[in-house]
Amino acid sequence: MKKLVLILSLLVLVSCTKQNLFCRVTLQVESEHPMVALTVDNTLAGNYFRNLNTGETYPFPVFVNGKCELSVLKGVYVLAFDGVAAYADGSAHRVRSAQYATMLDAVTLTGDDVTVTLKLLNLQ
């Protein structure tokens, strides 16, 4: 009986380790003009990438050529930010993304690789 319990425990342990708990997310912004970089000030309270299941907040990396990647725990997320976008022509504008800012608009990140397209509002 003890051997059976040990074998079943090992099978459960092995099957659990095969599941990927993390999602590699690519955030991609829609922009009318070629974007070189987009920076988000992660210290501002209104800028967040938050897992609704755990409450954990992830910092936004710098967007290069309109996209960035990060690895997060699979779950349901709300995200919003104000940032500064630098364009290929040398101009810079303040922009905002708020399409996934509330629980009603939350995005589900349960795949191993997910791309989320963000619409930007130009603030200037």
Side-chain angles (χ1 to χ4, degrees):
M1 182 68 170
K2 289 182 182 180
K3 287 182 182 181
L4 180 61
V5 171
L6 179 63
I7 291 171
L8 288 176
S9 299
L10 288 174
L11 286 174
V12 169
L13 181 64
V14 169
S15 67
C16 289
T17 58
K18 289 183 180 180
Q19 293 181 350
N20 187 4
L21 299 177
F22 291 90
C23 173
R24 189 172 76 201
V25 182
T26 301
L27 299 177
Q28 184 169 345
V29 296
E30 287 182 355
S31 179
E32 296 176 11
H33 306 289
M35 184 181 299
V36 176
L38 170 61
T39 55
V40 176
D41 183 355
N42 289 299
T43 63
L44 299 176
N47 295 343
Y48 52 85
F49 189 100
R50 184 171 303 125
N51 184 322
L52 290 177
N53 306 78
T54 64
E56 184 175 2
T57 301
Y58 294 86
F60 287 97
V62 174
F63 290 71
V64 177
N65 296 323
K67 62 181 164 181
C68 68
E69 286 186 2
L70 61 158
S71 181
V72 298
L73 189 65
K74 290 180 180 180
V76 179
Y77 285 80
V78 290
L79 59 119
F81 63 84
D82 285 2
V84 177
Y87 295 97
D89 65 1
S91 64
H93 298 281
R94 288 183 41 81
V95 294
R96 174 174 291 158
S97 174
Q99 72 192 74
Y100 300 111
T102 68
M103 285 193 282
L104 294 175
D105 302 318
V107 61
T108 303
L109 304 175
T110 54
D112 289 340
D113 293 297
V114 177
T115 298
V116 177
T117 302
L118 304 173
K119 295 177 184 174
L120 294 181
L121 173 65
N122 195 349
L123 298 179
Q124 292 180 333

